[in-house]
Amino acid sequence: MIYNKHNLAVAKVAGKSQMRPEIAGVFFTKNKTVATDSFRLVEIDTPTMPNVPEMEGAMKGIKPFIVDVVGIKLKDDELLRIKHVDESHVQFVKEDGGVMSGRRVNGEFPGYESIFPTGKPTAKVKVNARYLAEVLDILGKLGGNNSEVELKVYEDRRQIVIEAGTLNQKGRGIIMGLSE
């Protein structure tokens, strides 16, 4: 299987507590990576790379596993493949032959598939992620200790209104939806 920087980026939401080591790393399967801290969850599919050959026997006979990926960094276009998995470590090889390893985390990653809602969503709005992050960063600082913000989607679904604040100060913003 082939993984890229997006597959490793899920580590940003991995749990930090050693009380639950099974969520303190990235869950690798043959076609995705997943991480959670019990409040946030991110799942990223492996990239479709038709012109990049798979390594012989990649993930053959290997069950999904959890890895502490701290220290494993990739540049924008670099790819990783699994080289070796044992009880305590996982070795990855980059395209240039460089080898990186991460500590394998003992435990079973929690079942998460059922958390994602199924069926038809009540609203869909496509927005610029950078703009959304900037507005959330600004308004989240008004949201008290928990950085709470409230997202509102109105009937026309052309924008998302974001509101935050405490009794002392409030703020709001709008992210305009992108055209389909």
Side-chain angles (χ1 to χ4, degrees):
M1 298 289 67
I2 299 169
Y3 304 95
N4 62 19
K5 70 175 187 166
H6 304 296
N7 292 110
L8 297 179
V10 301
K12 291 178 183 175
V13 302
K16 307 297 183 244
S17 169
Q18 292 308 311
M19 299 208 35
R20 297 214 38 216
E22 70 276 9
I23 62 171
V26 174
F27 182 55
F28 282 80
T29 72
K30 71 178 196 172
N31 61 354
K32 64 183 88 169
T33 56
V34 187
T36 184
D37 64 359
S38 295
F39 299 99
R40 308 170 291 175
L41 186 140
V42 178
E43 172 190 86
I44 303 288
D45 290 345
T46 54
T48 304
M49 308 288 292
N51 297 326
V52 178
E54 285 291 332
M55 287 181 73
E56 286 283 321
M59 292 288 284
K60 187 174 183 175
I62 299 173
K63 293 182 180 177
F65 52 85
I66 307 166
V67 179
D68 180 352
V69 296
V70 172
I72 298 178
K73 306 281 187 237
L74 293 176
K75 295 179 183 154
D76 283 347
D77 58 347
E78 286 185 308
L79 300 174
L80 281 180
R81 291 185 173 95
I82 295 168
K83 180 178 181 183
H84 176 75
V85 177
D86 64 32
E87 293 299 315
S88 61
H89 286 83
V90 176
Q91 285 186 325
F92 298 95
V93 63
K94 296 191 309 184
E95 288 178 295
D96 66 6
V99 176
M100 305 171 125
S101 66
R103 181 181 58 82
R104 188 167 176 177
V105 177
N106 290 325
E108 188 171 323
F109 197 80
Y112 70 91
E113 295 282 348
S114 63
I115 295 171
F116 283 100
T118 58
K120 186 178 179 188
T122 55
K124 284 174 39 173
V125 181
K126 188 182 286 190
V127 298
N128 180 301
R130 192 184 74 222
Y131 294 169
L132 179 61
E134 290 168 351
V135 172
L136 287 173
D137 181 52
I138 294 165
L139 293 175
K141 292 173 182 164
L142 292 173
N145 291 338
N146 293 327
S147 301
E148 293 174 5
V149 298
E150 188 172 275
L151 303 177
K152 297 179 178 180
V153 179
Y154 291 91
E155 242 179 79
D156 66 5
R157 299 184 191 125
R158 285 183 249 189
Q159 67 268 341
I160 296 175
V161 175
I162 304 164
E163 297 178 348
T166 63
L167 294 175
N168 296 330
Q169 190 172 18
K170 297 183 184 318
R172 65 182 178 161
I174 291 180
I175 300 294
M176 300 306 292
L178 300 173
S179 300
E180 292 286 325

